[in-house]
Amino acid sequence: MIKNSAAEMAQSLASGATTSVALTQAHLDRIADVDSKVRAFLHVDTEGALKQAADADAARARGEKLSPLAGVPLALKDVLVQKDVPTTCGSKILEGWRPPYDSTVVSKLKNAGVVILGKTNMDEFAMGSSTENSAYGPTHNPWDLTRIPGGSGGGSSAALAAFEAPLAIGTDTGGSIRQPAAVTGTVGVKPTYGGVSRYGLVAFSSSLDQAGPCARTVLDTALLHEVIAGHDPKDSTSINAPVPQVVAAAKSGDVKGMKIGVVKELNGDGYQSGVRQRFEESLELLAQAGAEIVEVSAPNFEYALAAYYLIAPSEASSNLARFDAMRYGLRVGDADGASAESVMNMTREVGFGREVKRRILLGTYALSSGYYDAYYGSAQKVRTLITQDFNNAFAKCDVMVSPTCPTTAFKIGEKTNDPLAMYLNDIATIPVNMAGIGGMSLPCGVAPEDGLPVGFQIMSPVMQDQRMYSVGAALEAALLSKWGAPLLSQAPSLGGAA
Amino acid sequence: MSSLSRDDVANLARLARIEMTDQELENLTTEFGVILNAVARVQEVATTDVPATSHPLALTNIFRTDVVIPSLTPEEALSGAPASEEQRFRVPQILGEEA
């Protein structure tokens, strides 16, 4: 039962073949069986999940009109607040904090009857590409437990790949939904910026952060997308327009006549050979499905990484000032006569990890008087150039595509002492965040040299998210008929009772 | 090229209110040399004729209607406080008084 898609689970619930309580219990059992190896969850809310499941079953028994995903379980990235459930953002500074309110994403999930199993591991405050920056230890990739599951949302993607949940929520500031999806053989979507409310999403880089849906199939991702998307007056950057029709697009998967632009600069040197091979094969499949493949150029993308590592730390240095040991979270050194400033200094020293401190200081420098124009100001100009590159390219194609990541999953510990090497994982995902457009990653095979999943990235213009779902569904269908079974059926069993 | 001294990094840590150890300052000074050289590349194309983009959406002055909606109770608002007193956050000494 747990290996089914969320859409299939929803169908079993609707037909009465199973109940949400049984489905939820099956996932809780799976978590108990395998999570000591995967470590996808920071907190499992057994009692709360079973209660939500019972509520969904009761509503169904009463004959209420239910949302398509009512009663289906989900894993929530620990950066979105859920009332009375611990939220840590992977940081010691928030250990034990129980938020007094629900984020809008959580309210929407609850209203739709989706069952929240628990909170998933992540790089501290979403800063990282491997979950190794979590203060609570790394998550392990279900494909190979010695490897990283991507980051920052590695817990959410690993939970999907390990069949601990059929649905998950991630957040994507520079690739934190798409890169974990790529390296775990799952699907992840960063919606258009403003497409999903950020209310109750603990801020890292406010002009880049976007919550989005994660699942094992394109249709499941679309179903979840429609549950969480939409205008929210509590988020002033939320777009007040109808949600793109992503479910219809995922169901049709029609790419006939669509122009698919291959980004010249996001391929070639620095990309693993198996990654390039699977990417090229996917292009052929899309051409066979009726799409026209064209080449597009984005000359300024090569500056995106540099600009990102100025803009995101700058915004983070400001956003993380709220962790001041006064209103919530950790407080250290509050002895008699200690000043507020010394308490703040000591708390932030103890509460923040290495990468978070590195980025706060980098951002403080980039914003400081005398250096602002050279660093933060220049990065903002690069952001304009990247957006122009996208606009020029989208004049020639309907969607743009590239490999999601230059490589497959690397070993835990391999890059922890080389921040720049770690940052390079995001080279193909960052441009999307800079321009605020939509991006999807879906599995397109395993690299022949290491047997690990490869991600295919699809990028669509602002509020045209349905386009990436059409292309994703077409590619997924073509690959499925080629393989005969979903890619995840090739992953190791983890020894659970599944 | 861009480089920062250990004292520069210590000053940034002070501004960011993080009390760092000597070892941390040492490590960051080395790492910043490498990172700043990499990110300084933005200056190659950031010419004066290029406008800056601070945000992906061109939004200004978004208001919502001025209606009273339920908000957190004092107990809820203070529920995560490290210390509280009389429905207020209790904070350490702020002004530099003589002990």
Side-chain angles (χ1 to χ4, degrees):
Chain A
M1 180 157 64
I2 59 170
K3 296 205 169 177
N4 288 345
S5 70
E8 288 163 345
M9 291 178 195
Q11 212 162 22
S12 300
L13 291 169
S15 71
T18 189
T19 64
S20 178
V21 168
L23 188 63
T24 301
Q25 189 60 55
H27 284 95
L28 291 168
D29 291 347
R30 175 68 175 175
I31 293 168
D33 277 348
V34 303
D35 208 53
S36 59
K37 294 173 190 163
V38 178
R39 305 191 78 85
F41 284 87
L42 290 175
H43 178 81
V44 180
D45 184 19
T46 304
E47 206 179 306
L50 287 171
K51 175 162 189 322
Q52 291 169 53
D55 289 348
D57 286 338
R60 196 178 302 275
R62 286 193 301 269
E64 286 178 23
K65 186 166 168 27
L66 299 173
S67 116
L69 291 175
V72 180
L74 169 141
L76 182 66
K77 189 178 181 184
D78 202 24
V79 69
L80 285 144
V81 303
Q82 180 183 357
K83 191 176 180 190
D84 297 332
V85 174
T87 299
T88 68
C89 300
S91 182
K92 286 284 177 208
I93 212 160
L94 279 177
E95 190 166 21
W97 181 56
R98 288 175 187 259
Y101 71 107
D102 279 333
S103 52
T104 295
V105 166
V106 166
S107 300
K108 283 176 177 277
L109 291 169
K110 286 182 173 175
N111 288 341
V114 175
V115 174
I116 303 172
L117 295 167
K119 309 296 289 288
T120 55
N121 198 15
M122 54 185 282
D123 288 294
E124 185 176 7
F125 289 108
M127 299 180 193
S129 311
S130 68
T131 74
E132 291 167 295
N133 295 332
S134 168
Y136 304 96
T139 296
H140 299 260
N141 191 323
W143 285 80
D144 175 349
L145 296 171
T146 68
R147 291 179 189 267
I148 60 102
S152 65
S156 283
S157 292
L160 296 169
F163 300 99
E164 295 173 290
L167 299 169
I169 298 290
T171 62
D172 192 314
T173 304
S176 288
I177 286 175
R178 290 162 289 155
Q179 182 255 4
V183 299
T184 57
T186 58
V187 184
V189 164
K190 178 209 125 30
T192 293
Y193 181 89
V196 174
S197 171
R198 290 186 299 112
Y199 179 75
L201 192 184
V202 179
F204 156 22
S205 180
S206 310
S207 79
L208 301 165
D209 295 343
Q210 182 62 70
C214 309
R216 291 189 291 261
T217 72
V218 173
L219 177 59
D220 287 358
T221 312
L223 289 165
L224 184 56
H225 189 137
E226 289 197 3
V227 169
I228 61 173
H231 179 244
D232 178 12
K234 289 174 179 164
D235 173 3
S236 61
T237 60
S238 149
I239 293 177
N240 194 355
V243 176
Q245 299 288 298
V246 296
V247 171
K251 281 181 175 164
S252 93
D254 184 7
V255 291
K256 278 190 193 68
M258 269 183 100
K259 280 193 180 169
I260 295 179
V262 180
V263 187
K264 198 172 79 178
E265 289 79 4
L266 298 181
N267 204 347
D269 281 354
Y271 288 77
Q272 191 180 319
S273 71
V275 169
R276 290 163 67 177
Q277 185 186 333
R278 296 304 178 218
F279 177 70
E280 301 294 336
E281 288 167 5
S282 301
L283 293 178
E284 273 172 45
L285 292 174
L286 286 169
Q288 284 164 21
E292 185 188 342
I293 311 294
V294 297
E295 187 182 80
V296 293
S297 178
N300 294 295
F301 279 17
E302 68 169 296
Y303 300 99
L305 194 68
Y308 177 84
Y309 279 99
L310 288 165
I311 291 169
S314 294
E315 294 188 10
S317 70
S318 168
N319 271 324
L320 271 62
R322 65 169 56 84
F323 300 102
D324 57 6
M326 301 299 145
R327 291 156 298 160
Y328 36 68
L330 189 68
R331 178 182 287 185
V332 175
D334 192 7
D336 225 15
S339 71
E341 187 175 329
S342 80
V343 168
M344 253 182 239
N345 289 340
M346 287 165 80
T347 302
R348 288 161 67 83
E349 163 65 3
V350 173
F352 288 143
R354 195 169 150 197
E355 180 66 18
V356 170
K357 288 178 191 168
R358 189 186 286 138
R359 295 205 198 180
I360 289 175
L361 261 61
L362 184 59
T364 304
Y365 177 64
L367 292 176
S368 59
S369 168
Y371 300 98
Y372 181 98
D373 288 340
Y375 289 104
Y376 184 64
S378 297
Q380 288 188 314
K381 290 181 171 189
V382 169
R383 199 165 180 178
T384 305
L385 296 172
I386 290 165
T387 305
Q388 285 171 359
D389 277 358
F390 272 117
N391 290 342
N392 293 338
F394 281 131
K396 295 174 190 138
C397 61
D398 299 301
V399 296
M400 289 161 71
V401 296
S402 75
T404 310
C405 311
T407 69
T408 55
F410 50 88
K411 293 268 187 189
I412 290 172
E414 194 180 318
K415 298 187 183 180
T416 38
N417 287 316
D418 188 350
L420 271 190
M422 188 69 92
Y423 296 169
L424 279 170
N425 291 302
D426 303 328
I427 198 156
T429 47
I430 279 173
V432 162
N433 301 79
M434 300 292 269
I437 66 169
M440 168 189 282
S441 178
L442 78 156
C444 65
V446 296
E449 60 271 30
D450 56 22
L452 294 167
V454 175
F456 185 92
Q457 179 175 235
I458 309 165
M459 300 165 264
S460 55
V462 169
M463 287 308 265
Q464 299 294 331
D465 299 30
Q466 76 284 354
R467 287 189 200 167
M468 58 189 171
Y469 281 95
S470 298
V471 176
L475 179 58
E476 182 184 60
L479 288 165
L480 188 62
S481 73
K482 187 173 153 184
W483 299 332
L487 192 70
L488 276 171
S489 62
Q490 297 178 34
S493 76
L494 298 171
Chain B
M1 284 303 283
S2 334
S3 71
L4 287 180
S5 70
R6 193 183 171 286
D7 283 354
D8 293 334
V9 177
N11 187 44
L12 289 172
R14 189 186 58 78
L15 290 171
R17 301 284 183 267
I18 304 175
E19 189 174 293
M20 288 195 167
T21 63
D22 287 345
Q23 187 60 52
E24 284 182 296
L25 291 173
E26 205 101 326
N27 292 345
L28 275 173
T29 305
T30 313
E31 288 164 5
F32 272 11
V34 180
I35 295 173
L36 286 176
N37 274 336
V39 297
R41 287 201 65 206
V42 293
Q43 292 156 12
E44 292 172 20
V45 285
T47 48
T48 48
D49 56 323
V50 180
T53 298
S54 60
H55 199 271
L57 303 174
L59 298 170
T60 43
N61 296 341
I62 305 295
F63 299 108
R64 65 170 186 250
T65 40
D66 184 17
V67 288
V68 178
I69 52 168
S71 60
L72 298 181
T73 64
E75 290 70 31
E76 286 171 330
L78 291 165
S79 63
S84 62
E85 222 175 273
E86 297 173 23
Q87 292 203 346
R88 293 177 177 88
F89 295 99
R90 193 186 66 73
V91 303
Q93 178 181 314
I94 290 170
L95 299 173
E97 294 163 327
E98 293 297 316

